[in-house]
Amino acid sequence: MRLSRYFLPVLKENPAEAQIVSHRYMLRAGMIKQQAAGIYSWLPMGFKVLKRIEEIVHQEQIRAGHIPMLMPTLQPADLWRESGRYDDYGEEMLRITDRHKRDMLYGPTNEEMITDIFRAHVGSYKDLPMTLYHVQWKFRDEIRPRFGVMRGREFYMKDGYNFDLTKEDALHAYNRHLVSYLRTYERMGLQAIPMRADSGPIGGDDTHEFLVLASTGESEVFYDSEITDLKFGDRDIDYDDHAACRAVLEEFTSRYARTDETHDEAVFNQIPEARRRVARGIEVGQIFYFGTKYSEPMGATVVNDKGERVPVHMGSHGIGVSRLVGAIIEASHDDKGIIWPEGVTPFHCGIVNLKQGDAATDGACAEIYAALVKAGLEPLYDDRDERAGAKFATMDLIGLPWRITVGPRGLAAGKVELTSRRTGDSEEMTPEAAVARIKAIYEGI
Ligand SMILES: Nc1ncnc2c1ncn2[C@@H]1O[C@H](COP(=O)(O)OP(=O)(O)OP(=O)(O)O)[C@@H](O)[C@H]1O
Ligand SMILES: [Mg+2]
């Protein structure tokens, strides 16, 4: 992409309405535009990051054996009357009446609809286990939408639902989701800590929230500092192996880590004082096991190997895809702007031409651009007729992790400059070496 032809409406001033850094930078970097309270358009660069995050979510769900599909945003109220949640959900549910006066709603989540799909098409234990998921817009009429996409009314979420014959199998699905979520967040450059939480209106007994530590987080969290040393890393895990998945759950949940809803001061105080941490966190996902809470009232049953009809055991598992865009910025920025982790960056590398219109620099930039594209990467080439300072400021604000700077002086010696956004370190090298370095960086990502 050439910046001169792109749509990147960067703001010079700090927008007054933004209270936290991610919201401020998303507005300043031209990633989003608010259309109504808690409802946003995703401008091209914001859209790109959203899609990168979604893609990682898909890859990791499919790796775990989960099946992608798509359900609509609008749902009939009758389904929710069956589960009893139509009245329980309260004012957060956006209720709509169609022209035939039928009660509809904009889905805040999909337990009822997926259960309806399941009961219509699945009848035998032989079809289990099964986990279906989708990534779809949700609407919750939050009383106080704020912090940009972090607490929107309309937001993008991955929600997955497991159907199992036994509680034991459903708990394996729970563990499998925990493992896949650890992988997912780490690929986005995030540490998200599973913490024991409260199940709220979804219902059920077992639930963990995944929290990214950040001073601007809305949840108060309490944890043993040892937990932050745990890394999932590049472990190869067999998602069908119950014991292996359970071992990961035990490893990541054996230390104290709870949100304020389940915090227990007496248990917390048993940890050595030097390791006790009270902090704030952003909830980027949650997993639930809730057994037969929906399958029983809605008649989602299968025939087991003894010929008996039994309700299936279920759980649901969500990742806040649009909230993650903000959460990643909260976790990765400096006073100049965003610092994208390589896994989610909208463009892999920026190219800054210090003397637009100079035949040599223009030619070198075009060659670097072509070489990066040939390597399967997406560069953003700042080919505008702007001062160097303005180009650097834009690059720093939008936060591409790598930048190649091309100027006449360096080129005379056959060199360009490769700069890391994170460390600010620059290195001179030939254009070919810079391209090779960028290629190598993204090879394992
Ligand atoms: N209003 C929102 N705006 C953006 N993302 C949201 C919003 N509500 C929930 N999410 C995201 O969707 C994920 C799954 O939804 P879940 O039902 O667990 O939300 P929740 O527990 O009600 O969230 P919260 O406690 O933050 O209101 C959450 O972990 C969060 O990342
Ligand atoms: Mg939650």
Side-chain angles (χ1 to χ4, degrees), residues 38 89 92 108-109 111 138-142 145-146 148-159 185 198-199 201-202 207-210 218-219 261 282-288 316-324:
Y89 221 93
E92 267 196 21
T109 176
E111 280 81 8
K138 305 290 184 293
F139 196 96
R140 296 183 189 169
D141 205 351
E142 302 271 357
R146 55 184 187 153
V149 299
M150 296 266 259
R151 182 163 300 282
R153 293 197 295 163
E154 189 183 46
F155 62 97
Y156 205 39
M157 170 172 136
K158 169 261 166 185
D159 42 323
Y185 298 122
D198 188 59
S199 62
I202 306 272
T207 182
H208 282 90
E209 286 179 358
F210 288 77
E218 291 188 281
S219 313
E261 293 159 347
I282 302 166
E283 182 195 331
V284 291
Q286 186 162 15
I287 53 177
F288 298 91
S316 70
H317 315 277
I319 293 182
V321 175
S322 51
R323 177 178 289 180
L324 272 164

Side-chain angles (χ1 to χ4, degrees), residues 30-46:
M31 294 176 67
I32 50 170
K33 180 181 187 310
Q34 181 172 306
Q35 306 293 168
I39 300 177
Y40 292 87
S41 287
W42 291 78
L43 305 183
M45 211 184 65

Side-chain angles (χ1 to χ4, degrees), residues 154-377:
E154 189 183 46
F155 62 97
Y156 205 39
M157 170 172 136
K158 169 261 166 185
D159 42 323
Y161 305 87
N162 67 283
F163 300 92
D164 288 278
L165 182 61
T166 63
K167 177 170 181 181
E168 202 258 310
D169 285 352
L171 289 177
H172 170 59
Y174 185 91
N175 301 344
R176 201 173 61 228
H177 277 88
L178 181 127
V179 176
S180 71
Y181 281 23
L182 290 172
R183 278 191 69 106
T184 301
Y185 298 122
E186 281 191 15
R187 281 188 62 190
M188 296 173 190
L190 281 179
Q191 180 169 46
I193 304 171
M195 299 202 181
R196 182 153 285 289
D198 188 59
S199 62
I202 306 272
D205 322 316
D206 276 300
T207 182
H208 282 90
E209 286 179 358
F210 288 77
L211 285 116
V212 172
L213 298 175
S215 57
T216 48
E218 291 188 281
S219 313
E220 190 173 27
V221 297
F222 303 82
Y223 63 95
D224 179 340
S225 65
E226 280 190 353
I227 202 153
T228 54
D229 298 334
L230 298 175
K231 295 269 172 314
F232 186 80
D234 201 21
R235 302 183 206 183
D236 204 7
I237 188 136
D238 175 358
Y239 279 107
D240 291 329
D241 184 337
H242 287 219
C245 291
R246 194 178 326 115
V248 174
L249 171 110
E250 277 159 13
E251 178 186 347
F252 280 82
T253 60
S254 61
R255 289 167 188 81
Y256 192 92
R258 297 193 192 183
T259 63
D260 50 2
E261 293 159 347
T262 55
H263 176 57
D264 182 333
E265 201 67 28
V267 184
F268 188 54
N269 288 336
Q270 286 164 17
I271 307 166
E273 195 173 353
R275 290 187 356 223
R276 274 180 237 155
R277 297 281 186 280
V278 181
R280 302 201 70 82
I282 302 166
E283 182 195 331
V284 291
Q286 186 162 15
I287 53 177
F288 298 91
Y289 163 73
F290 47 69
T292 58
K293 178 179 154 83
Y294 298 92
S295 56
E296 218 151 346
M298 295 186 65
T301 59
V302 292
V303 173
N304 67 16
D305 59 352
K306 297 187 197 73
E308 303 154 347
R309 198 158 265 290
V310 291
V312 289
H313 286 260
M314 293 173 60
S316 70
H317 315 277
I319 293 182
V321 175
S322 51
R323 177 178 289 180
L324 272 164
V325 181
I328 292 167
I329 298 173
E330 290 296 325
S332 185
H333 67 268
D334 63 13
D335 56 4
K336 295 193 209 111
I338 303 165
I339 306 173
W340 292 115
E342 274 86 355
V344 299
T345 184
F347 295 95
H348 297 104
C349 176
I351 304 170
V352 169
N353 186 341
L354 291 180
K355 198 167 183 200
Q356 207 66 44
D358 174 86
T361 57
D362 289 1
C365 286
E367 274 176 37
I368 293 167
Y369 185 94
L372 288 168
V373 169
K374 198 166 162 226
L377 298 171

